[in-house]
Amino acid sequence: MKTLKIVNPADGSPLAELPADDAASVAAKAARARVAQPGWQARPLADRSAVMGRFRAAVAAEIETLAKTLTQEVGKPLAQSRNELNGFLGRIDFFLAEVAAATAAETVLADGAMTERIEHEPLGVVANISAWNYPYFVGGNVFVPALLTGNAVLYKPSEFATLTGLHIDRMLHAAGVPADVFITVVGAGAVGAALLEQRVDGVFFTGSVATGAKIAAQMGARMVRLQLELGGKDPSYVADDADPKAAAESLADGAMYNTGQSCCSVERIYVHERIHDAFVEHFVQTVQGFKAGDPLADGTYIGPLTRGPQLEVLEAQVADALAKGARLMTGGKRVARAGHWFEPTVLTGVDHTMAVMRDESFGPIIGIQKVKGDDEALALMNDTRYGLTAGMYTRDEQRAARLLRKVHAGSVYWNCCDRVSPRLPWSGHGDSGVGVTLSTYGIQAFTRPRAWHLRAP
Ligand code: NAD
């Protein structure tokens, strides 16, 4: 039997070896979900909501254990693991509060002769293929509303966050989700691809553009709802009227939180020439103040990278930038210790010929580019194939609105960054993906409307 080895990225030590799925076991699981789904759909929404309310209570009761597992398997500093879990509770609360209104049947015409109604039905069996960087957030954005609206879920956690995935599996079943309504499949990319060979009614994927493109090609001619939440190269612009210190502190956090491994991490910064030097000075000072080290220790802010090969991507971006004339302000290399460690790195004097300003870094590294004004900043912000988030720091709300309306991005930020709200739709332009999670759009994503035309006899 195939197994999946789980390793602690902070020191390379083995954590677990789990039995993994293969094509035959995935097919058997998909068949079980197909049989179980109608029974789950038939239960009243109040029942399904009560089950998910019990799941929420279990997560709240176990936060310390869950946070520790997450930190051990992905290297996320413990305080940030706790933050993710607390944020996850808020998202469950949002879905519980909104699901009834978002999926309520609506009569849109009743003129005596004809009645027209819209009802929302679950898709059926959906595949939930998840990334490792925020497994509670990106997994939960799918399985919580999918289950609430009556779908069965075939859940594949990332191979780098499978212990977390198994905690989720255990708690959902203990809360009362039937064993065949939520089924976890264990393994890496090949197991994900085998899952997509099954008869499913929706595919909800979070991960890289490269994998998203493979999945889109695999799903090609199949008439199945496909949502892809992919990478980013998210820009922020600091205008000349912004407070350089406040903006630097906010953006350093946006670039380095979760060790730079967030889909909406700040990945490019443009600063008006009038405040560029002051901004850079505060930025570097803030980054040098971040405590790196054992992710389980109190006060740690920077942990290891989750995946070893990403170290080479970061090294190549630094080398490429320096060869083309960038200036290294701090960091710049791996740390010589067991595990996957890279120094928090700040580059200035960068431009768009450099990979660090074009390709997703997904690590603790940032390029800061000087600009002459809003027009140049906007042109550079839009010079990308991605479009997840973008931000601007200025005292002037109108000035920010003028620029942010023209930016290609699903989410825009005024004087903030690296922020996700359950109340707002989460989506990307361009290569950052297709479809929407969160908000009421992210509930209706798991349903399809049925149109009723009713003529009284
Ligand atoms: P990844 O693409 O390597 O893997 C994601 C998932 O896809 C994993 O579960 C993996 O096993 C599975 N997979 C791999 N190959 C597959 C295949 N051929 N068929 C089916 N499944 C397959 O991505 P990752 O490293 O886990 O995540 C990091 C990426 O995710 C970054 O690019 C980040 O920006 C992006 N991300 C985006 C969002 C968003 O909301 N837009 C959120 C979090 C992460």
Side-chain angles (χ1 to χ4, degrees):
M1 183 197 249
K2 278 200 162 176
T3 58
L4 178 68
K5 290 194 177 85
I6 314 281
V7 172
N8 185 335
D11 58 12
S13 62
L15 287 173
E17 187 162 348
L18 305 168
D21 276 286
D22 57 24
S25 66
V26 170
K29 287 180 173 181
R32 279 167 38 207
R34 179 63 58 190
V35 172
Q37 187 272 330
W40 180 243
Q41 174 178 352
R43 304 226 335 229
L45 174 58
D47 256 29
R48 294 195 300 267
S49 295
V51 168
M52 295 309 283
R54 287 198 293 275
F55 168 69
R56 186 217 187 271
V59 174
E62 288 193 37
I63 277 190
E64 279 309 302
T65 316
L66 302 175
K68 194 169 167 206
T69 301
L70 181 56
T71 292
Q72 284 174 325
E73 70 176 337
V74 306
K76 192 189 293 270
L78 191 58
Q80 297 175 19
S81 292
R82 291 191 188 111
N83 288 349
E84 180 176 348
L85 279 150
N86 282 309
F88 180 48
L89 296 179
R91 293 193 188 189
I92 301 174
D93 290 340
F94 169 81
F95 288 127
L96 283 171
E98 296 300 325
V99 63
T103 57
E106 194 186 349
T107 298
V108 291
L109 177 78
D111 68 2
M114 280 301 293
T115 301
E116 297 176 356
R117 276 170 69 70
I118 303 170
E119 287 183 5
H120 300 275
E121 298 175 354
L123 296 174
V125 177
V126 301
N128 174 187
I129 300 181
S130 183
W132 47 264
N133 62 331
Y134 283 95
Y136 287 99
F137 284 161
V138 299
N141 289 353
V142 174
F143 67 73
V144 176
L147 289 170
L148 279 171
T149 50
N151 296 278
V153 177
L154 294 162
Y155 166 60
K156 198 196 88 57
S158 163
E159 57 273 37
F160 297 102
T162 304
L163 297 176
T164 290
L166 294 177
H167 275 308
I168 288 170
D169 180 276
R170 170 181 59 76
M171 290 186 293
L172 281 170
H173 292 149
V177 177
D180 289 352
V181 165
F182 181 88
I183 308 184
T184 300
V185 302
V186 171
V191 173
L195 177 54
L196 300 178
E197 291 299 319
Q198 310 310 312
R199 194 185 134 216
V200 289
D201 306 298
V203 172
F204 295 83
F205 169 77
T206 309
S208 62
V209 177
T211 309
K214 275 191 215 160
I215 290 178
Q218 188 179 349
M219 296 312 290
R222 288 166 60 188
M223 304 307 159
V224 166
R225 185 169 302 176
L226 179 61
Q227 286 205 179
L228 305 167
E229 302 213 331
L230 309 176
K233 188 71 192 168
D234 295 359
S236 193
Y237 165 47
V238 185
D240 49 349
D241 65 344
D243 172 351
K245 183 166 186 281
E249 285 169 1
S250 167
L251 284 167
D253 184 46
M256 302 289 169
Y257 190 84
N258 206 34
T259 314
Q261 303 170 111
S262 307
C263 51
C264 52
S265 285
V266 176
E267 291 238 348
R268 301 179 277 151
I269 300 176
Y270 304 99
V271 186
H272 196 288
E273 58 189 4
R274 275 204 279 275
I275 63 164
H276 173 271
D277 293 355
F279 174 87
V280 168
E281 191 188 326
H282 290 300
F283 193 94
V284 171
Q285 230 171 49
T286 308
V287 168
Q288 287 173 339
F290 289 147
K291 191 172 156 204
D294 178 2
L296 283 171
D298 275 347
T300 297
Y301 180 86
I302 299 274
L305 295 180
T306 305
R307 297 162 305 169
Q310 199 64 14
L311 290 167
E312 283 153 36
V313 172
L314 301 185
E315 278 178 337
Q317 289 191 349
V318 172
D320 169 68
L322 294 180
K324 290 173 180 161
R327 223 174 125 204
L328 182 64
M329 306 302 292
T330 187
K333 56 184 194 310
R334 10 179 136 199
V335 182
R337 60 185 280 185
H340 320 138
W341 297 82
F342 203 85
E343 293 172 347
T345 297
V346 180
L347 292 157
T348 58
V350 293
D351 63 42
H352 278 215
T353 66
M354 301 172 188
V356 73
M357 297 303 274
R358 305 199 72 88
D359 303 333
E360 189 178 49
S361 305
F362 229 57
I365 161 173
I366 187 79
I368 302 176
Q369 181 167 351
K370 194 188 282 186
V371 294
K372 289 191 176 6
D374 298 13
D375 290 346
E376 186 186 3
L378 176 64
L380 288 167
M381 290 165 96
N382 279 341
D383 178 27
T384 176
R385 62 194 183 115
Y386 293 107
L388 195 57
T389 82
M392 177 167 173
Y393 288 72
T394 168
R395 287 178 209 279
D396 181 344
E397 187 174 359
Q398 293 312 318
R399 184 175 169 189
R402 274 196 301 277
L403 182 137
L404 292 174
R405 264 202 196 94
K406 294 188 188 139
V407 164
H408 303 309
S411 296
V412 293
Y413 303 118
W414 176 41
N415 294 331
C416 58
C417 60
D418 189 26
R419 179 175 193 280
V420 182
S421 161
R423 295 166 293 279
L424 292 172
W426 188 249
S427 68
H429 291 203
D431 278 4
S432 291
V434 289
V436 181
T437 51
L438 297 172
S439 77
T440 51
Y441 294 97
I443 298 174
Q444 289 168 348
F446 300 95
T447 66
R448 58 178 129 235
R450 184 184 295 271
W452 290 84
H453 304 243
L454 305 163
R455 189 192 296 279

